[in-house]
Amino acid sequence: MSVENQSAGIVIIGAGLAGWHVVDAIRAKDKDIPITLITADNGDRYHKPMLTMAISQQKNAADLVRATGSDAAKAANINLLANTQVTDIDPASQTVQLISALRSDPVYTNYATISYDKLVLAMGAHPIFPKSLPEDLVWHVNHIERFGQLQEKLAAG
Ligand SMILES: Cc1cc2nc3c(=O)[nH]c(=O)nc-3n(C[C@H](O)[C@H](O)[C@H](O)COP(=O)(O)OP(=O)(O)OC[C@H]3O[C@@H](n4cnc5c(N)ncnc54)[C@H](O)[C@@H]3O)c2cc1C
């Protein structure tokens, strides 16, 4: 990550429907204010409720992507930190701590700190997993990547 000592502005954590819609709403009012969008995934824009119908419509994960994260970031004139996880927020110093979400790969072990003037939390939710259910048979499909994995499993029978 080459993000250390980045200038402050609006920092949004989360690039789901909420995060990207905040970007759209800010840009509708202000074309120039610095915006940094941080996401643990690749930041691709897609309409999550479409996951419900994708199988019956014979669409795969790639078909659902409306714009890649990098294309959408360029169009909105924002700084996208994809595959980046926020590990800590310090409201006193108005900073967030980052680490690569790909850190299991030794190439990506950098830590970084960035500042914010305004911070938006758009991190979604994690569904609980009832202990009574067999984990190997039950799939939470709350992300396009997970949907792609489910499709692969189904294709393999
Ligand atoms: C199959 C399905 C069907 C649905 N159908 C409908 C429907 O018909 N109508 C309806 O109203 N809603 C529906 N929903 C719900 C709706 O899609 C979700 O509520 C909505 O997409 C959530 O968006 P979000 O941006 O809040 O969260 P998410 O999409 O979960 O995005 C969270 C973002 O935060 C990032 N993030 C989280 N933690 C960190 C961290 N520590 N560091 C960095 N990044 C982080 C993630 O990487 C991600 O980018 C459906 C959901 C599913 C799964």
Side-chain angles (χ1 to χ4, degrees):
M1 286 182 285
S2 57
V3 292
E4 285 177 58
N5 303 322
Q6 204 161 356
S7 64
I10 300 174
V11 168
I12 302 166
I13 307 174
L17 285 172
W20 276 114
H21 278 117
V22 172
V23 169
D24 293 341
I26 296 168
R27 277 290 173 256
K29 288 187 175 292
D30 189 324
K31 302 263 179 262
D32 302 314
I33 190 165
I35 301 175
T36 299
L37 180 62
I38 306 168
T39 177
D41 54 39
N42 60 13
D44 287 356
R45 286 195 85 159
Y46 71 102
H47 191 64
K48 189 178 276 189
M50 286 300 293
L51 293 177
T52 316
M53 290 165 282
I55 288 180
S56 63
Q57 293 179 348
Q58 295 176 338
K59 290 182 174 162
N60 62 31
D63 295 329
L64 301 181
V65 175
R66 293 173 167 180
T68 65
S70 55
D71 285 350
K74 204 186 256 180
N77 184 30
I78 65 162
N79 180 26
L80 175 68
L81 301 181
N83 301 311
T84 301
Q85 195 151 5
V86 174
T87 55
D88 195 25
I89 299 169
D90 184 348
S93 62
Q94 298 196 193
T95 56
V96 292
Q97 298 286 336
L98 311 177
I99 187 169
S100 170
L102 309 173
R103 61 190 175 281
S104 53
D105 183 331
V107 173
Y108 302 103
T109 51
N110 296 5
Y111 289 81
T113 304
I114 63 168
S115 302
Y116 61 85
D117 294 324
K118 304 273 184 200
L119 182 66
V120 178
L121 304 181
M123 297 180 295
H126 292 282
I128 58 159
F129 198 102
K131 286 199 174 88
S132 55
L133 298 176
E135 279 195 47
D136 54 333
L137 294 178
V138 180
W139 287 65
H140 279 155
V141 181
N142 190 32
H143 193 271
I144 195 167
E145 200 180 314
R146 188 78 173 142
F147 169 74
Q149 292 165 353
L150 172 65
Q151 252 187 345
E152 278 173 27
K153 277 269 184 190
L154 290 173

